[in-house]
Amino acid sequence: MFPPRVAISTLVLTFTACVNAQPVSTEAAGDCPAEVERIFGSMIGEWDLAIQADEGWTGYGSSSVSWAADKKCGVFERSVAVFDQESEAPAENISTAHYVYDALSGTLKVLTADDRGYVHVGIAAVTEPLKFEMLKPDGEIPNRQIQIQNIQSQSCEWRRNGRTSPTQDWPKRLVITYWQARKD
């Protein structure tokens, strides 16, 4: 199991590839291939979060996803989450993520950072469910994977999986359920 601090940092990697019923504007997406435009377009919006860790602690929060400032093939996410751990007082975590399509490799790439000093880089194929393998700077085989699955019309499930050996399966460590925020 990962320590709570590592588990908290992974919220930064939240990739909200939930299917959104709103149509996507080609003008907003820039030069995205159709499949990437659909994936990024489904991320745009305001989201509520429910968090469950394998260690038993829970959390809640919100996320806002918008097209990148240059309106090319990328999106920006800002998340705020509160974690309720039995061993600690509730802690707030603020994170940001930039997702872009790399036309040279035909992959989606993510760069994330949070207010606790964690930075992560990941790569995923443009297929569903999305599976981001988080890169390690020393070239070691990745030991973290983010999967987006159970995609519904206005919700999805984000999972952080972790393993201690390259031959081990990917057991889930953290599950974040996303659903569209209510508009009052």
Side-chain angles (χ1 to χ4, degrees):
M1 284 209 243
F2 293 106
R5 183 178 165 107
V6 172
I8 289 171
S9 74
T10 61
L11 178 63
V12 148
L13 302 172
T14 305
F15 185 75
T16 57
C18 302
V19 177
N20 186 336
Q22 301 172 13
V24 177
S25 164
T26 303
E27 182 178 301
D31 299 325
C32 286
E35 183 62 11
V36 176
E37 182 179 336
R38 186 190 64 74
I39 290 169
F40 282 169
S42 71
M43 296 170 62
I44 304 301
E46 301 298 318
W47 304 92
D48 289 324
L49 312 174
I51 304 160
Q52 179 66 51
D54 65 335
E55 295 129 345
W57 53 268
T58 61
Y60 59 91
S62 63
S63 178
S64 179
V65 183
S66 59
W67 286 107
D70 62 5
K71 295 194 178 169
K72 297 292 181 187
C73 201
V75 295
F76 172 77
E77 177 180 16
R78 183 175 190 277
S79 298
V80 178
V82 176
F83 300 95
D84 295 317
Q85 297 172 275
E86 289 181 16
S87 62
E88 300 176 21
E92 184 176 87
N93 183 22
I94 299 171
S95 61
T96 60
H98 293 269
Y99 301 93
V100 296
Y101 173 69
D102 179 356
L104 293 176
S105 66
T107 59
L108 299 176
K109 295 186 177 179
V110 61
L111 171 63
T112 65
D114 73 9
D115 62 344
R116 295 169 184 235
Y118 289 99
V119 175
H120 299 288
V121 175
I123 298 175
V126 183
T127 59
E128 290 182 35
L130 296 170
K131 295 180 182 179
F132 280 86
E133 290 204 353
M134 306 320 295
L135 303 179
K136 298 181 89 174
D138 54 11
E140 290 180 38
I141 294 174
N143 64 353
R144 291 189 189 142
Q145 181 187 73
I146 303 303
Q147 290 185 8
I148 310 300
Q149 53 194 29
N150 298 329
I151 299 171
Q152 305 291 319
S153 63
Q154 295 186 7
S155 66
C156 71
E157 186 176 272
W158 177 96
R159 291 180 176 223
R160 179 184 57 81
N161 305 318
R163 63 183 183 186
T164 56
S165 160
T167 58
Q168 182 184 24
D169 285 337
W170 289 97
K172 72 178 178 184
R173 302 291 187 203
L174 185 70
V175 176
I176 302 174
T177 303
Y178 273 72
W179 68 94
Q180 282 194 329
R182 286 180 25 156
K183 296 178 181 168
D184 295 329

